[in-house]
Amino acid sequence: MKERTKLSDAIKNWEDTEVKSTVERFPERQTNFKTVSGLPVKRLYTPYDVADIDYHQKLGFPGVYPFTRGVQPTGYRGRLWTMRQYSGFATASETNRRFRFLLEQGQTGLSVAFDLPTQIGYDSDHELARGEVGKVGVAIDTLEDMELLFNEIPLDKVSTSMTINAPAAVLLAMYIAVGEKQGVSMEKLRGTIQNDLLKEFAARGTYIFPPAPSMRLITDIFRFCSEKMPLFNTISISGYHIREAGSTAIQEVAFTLANGIAYVTAAIKAGLDVDSFASRLSFFFGATSEFFEEIAKFRAARRLWARIMRERFNAKDDRSCMMRFHTQTAGYTLTAQQPDNNIVRVTLQALQAVLGGTQSLHTNSRDEALSLPTEQSVQIALRTQQIIAHETGVTDTLDPIAGSYFVESLTDEIERKSLEYIEKIDQMGGATVAIENGFIQREIHNSAYDYQTSVDMKSRIVVGMNEFVVDEEQQFAYLRVNPLAEQEQIQRLKEIRSHRKNDVVKRALSALRIAAKSDDNLMPLILDAVRVYATLGEICSVLRDVFGEYKAPDIL
Amino acid sequence: MSSSKKIRVLVAKPGLDGHDRGAKIVARALRDAGMEVIYTGLRQTPEMVVRAALDEGVHCIGLSILSGAHNALFPRIMELLKAEGADDILVVGGGIIPEDDIPDLKEAGISEIFGPGTTLQEIIEYIRSNVKL
């Protein structure tokens, strides 16, 4: 206490003398400094700011509850993060070539981007799919597409992340079926399905079914995988899209963890023991440009989730309290102007993710404010990760930013403010209610609007966009998706429909319909259907009939 | 310009794209600038967009798309508007739209494309000076 008073006096003395006389002669750039999330930033942080932090309780050791300093006892000294570039476009064969290129370049995991019709459960020949086939990802209609996608990629050697939500069960079933054809049984498969519907309702928009049946599909997957796929991550609870939609770092942590709470609650309600599934939950965050705040965010999220799992859900197994997460650098920070500058932005963002202890990482390519990335651009993005991993030395000690007065203080602040939001959402009745009544969407939208206003007013500088602008001849060689892909895909789909055993498909779909109306786990029935080449659209259409479709609330 | 008549704008998300950060920000900015704004929500077909525009009697349609489906969907919307004799409605677009695609979209009748980095004020001013009331 005496030490603290002494320090407080010394700080005041420094401010009254040195600082005051300097500011009188050279005013500071702003009267108030704030992070992009609105947290005040002081001139200087000292031991005074971290005096209340109990090391053992709040920080502890890597691999030990509450995991503030990381989930692995040896961190990147043991194994580097998985380098996993999100990719997919046009047809399965074209995407397979991109996957193999990335693996040849030293990528260590796969991450599949599906096109919008696939994500929303429509076949490529559906009228709503017009113009969208193969555009933002690869088109997958049947198991045959999935076989082509993983052609010559042994599924016992790679881990695969699939950004798929409403039809996650269908794509997981197809992945299992491809494994079977390769002679790899499902208990050996490693990877992640995103399977996070709450953030689709709140921020990303590729929902199909209403919340209740969506939760049922999710818990069916939790149960199925807890019994049969011990190495597979059953969900990637995603803050990334919440952040991309405009939230602050605090909202990103709060809304993501509130969604996590809703999933755990639903699974327990469905009769699962918390320790039977919780260790396979994974998370996904963005890395924006606010350097220290982002590092603090990752650390705060880990600590807060650990506390929630132990204190609220009584998890006994420490692995249930361990937050493992993927990171993607923030797409919204990329500029269409002077695109090469994005390489620098991505480098800094990737460094934050690594300093924050991410388990896997996607680095955006310089051209992604213009189009999907070219092979050359994605190679630079992957090389960025490799340079951080092999040349900087930041991987040689664990949680190297720990102990920074500023970062520890920010970590505490983000944890505290996120918890306040979570308590508010609890009072509303949980994340599902807070999304159905539009609260979460409105909070995100308000933050997005504030950010845009600050850029328009130039109170926030975006280099090359609102300052340091040059006249550019934009002749960047960006990727154009093969315009014939849509027709080729539709043609192949027609051929599959005419060659398969249609009576067997019909039986599988009828069985699925009956099960959807009961409480039976749908995973085995979906697996039966994809094995006989039922299409994604046919399976989702059965589920649409039984479950209905979600209608978004008007929040403007 | 008459100050008594309010500009009515439909902000629309054609196609399956779920990225609505930009559309919602623009909708709010136009509303704050004194216009009457109707936002369609996600997953609108060209037919739905045109029907909403006619039902609401708008002077301007703002289309937002980031999925790359603009070359299929924007011209289709213009076709339908022409068929309804409603091509006096000012139609503007925004999102991730490569520069090379812009001449053809303008040829199809899209009046202006606002790419990443456009300020809200630029959009407001463009609509104010080009809309036919």
Side-chain angles (χ1 to χ4, degrees), chain A residues 40-80:
Chain A
V41 178
K42 298 201 293 186
R43 186 175 293 113
L44 190 76
Y45 289 77
T46 68
Y48 187 82
D49 298 284
V50 297
D52 292 332
I53 297 177
D54 178 281
Y55 182 83
H56 292 281
Q57 197 204 345
K58 289 249 175 138
L59 298 169
F61 294 92
V64 179
Y65 184 94
F67 305 106
T68 312
R69 305 203 61 186
V71 294
Q72 298 296 344
T74 58
Y76 303 133
R77 288 167 66 102
R79 203 171 69 83
L80 295 168

Side-chain angles (χ1 to χ4, degrees), chain A residues 175-435:
Chain A
Y175 193 72
I176 294 169
V178 173
E180 285 168 352
K181 290 191 177 244
Q182 290 188 0
V184 181
S185 60
M186 64 176 104
E187 72 266 15
K188 293 205 184 97
L189 295 176
R190 287 179 300 123
T192 308
I193 39 173
Q194 199 160 74
N195 198 25
D196 170 10
L197 264 299
L198 290 174
K199 69 93 178 50
E200 294 297 326
F201 301 131
R204 190 169 174 273
T206 68
Y207 43 75
I208 305 177
F209 317 112
S214 297
M215 288 306 233
R216 181 250 177 116
L217 279 167
I218 291 165
T219 50
D220 278 1
I221 291 171
F222 285 5
R223 187 187 293 277
F224 180 86
C225 293
S226 73
E227 290 163 6
K228 298 187 190 319
M229 303 182 75
L231 304 179
F232 216 84
N233 297 315
T234 53
I235 192 167
S236 172
I237 307 167
S238 305
Y240 180 80
H241 316 92
I242 290 170
R243 192 68 186 273
E244 285 291 296
S247 85
T248 65
I250 293 156
Q251 291 167 336
E252 179 187 6
V253 172
F255 300 160
T256 306
L257 270 54
N259 289 347
I261 290 168
Y263 295 125
V264 174
T265 307
I268 291 171
K269 219 171 140 195
L272 289 167
D273 176 67
V274 66
D275 289 313
S276 76
F277 68 89
S279 68
R280 298 320 300 175
L281 306 177
S282 66
F283 290 82
F284 174 21
F285 294 109
T288 77
S289 291
E290 187 76 32
F291 198 83
F292 293 110
E293 183 176 66
E294 291 295 79
I295 298 169
K297 175 186 81 180
F298 298 125
R299 303 172 80 246
R302 264 198 303 265
R303 182 159 76 209
L304 188 50
W305 183 247
R307 285 178 53 196
I308 289 168
M309 290 308 291
R310 185 180 275 187
E311 293 167 17
R312 186 191 281 239
F313 294 113
N314 299 311
K316 304 277 183 294
D317 186 346
D318 272 358
R319 287 180 313 158
S320 303
C321 305
M322 209 184 252
M323 171 186 272
R324 296 169 300 122
F325 63 90
H326 172 70
T327 307
Q328 178 169 344
T329 59
Y332 82 89
T333 64
L334 302 179
T335 60
Q337 297 77 14
Q338 304 176 42
D340 284 344
N341 293 346
N342 292 325
I343 297 171
V344 183
R345 292 191 177 96
V346 168
T347 304
L348 292 166
Q349 294 164 358
L351 183 58
Q352 295 155 24
V354 170
L355 294 174
T358 196
Q359 273 58 60
S360 66
L361 179 60
H362 165 104
T363 32
N364 287 330
S365 297
R366 59 183 163 165
D367 41 1
E368 290 190 65
L370 303 164
S371 69
L372 296 190
T374 61
E375 201 167 272
Q376 198 200 4
S377 296
V378 80
Q379 188 178 46
I380 296 171
L382 176 61
R383 294 286 179 259
T384 304
Q385 296 196 39
Q386 290 161 336
I387 289 167
I388 293 173
H390 300 289
E391 297 184 10
T392 64
V394 299
T395 49
D396 295 349
T397 185
L398 280 80
D399 191 25
I401 303 288
S404 150
Y405 307 127
F406 179 38
V407 171
E408 293 297 358
S409 158
L410 268 179
T411 304
D412 255 20
E413 189 74 352
I414 292 170
E415 183 187 16
R416 198 174 56 75
K417 288 224 151 81
S418 303
L419 192 56
E420 278 172 19
Y421 251 122
I422 291 171
E423 283 163 357
K424 198 166 174 183
I425 292 165
D426 282 341
Q427 278 163 16
M428 286 178 195
T432 311
V433 177
I435 288 165

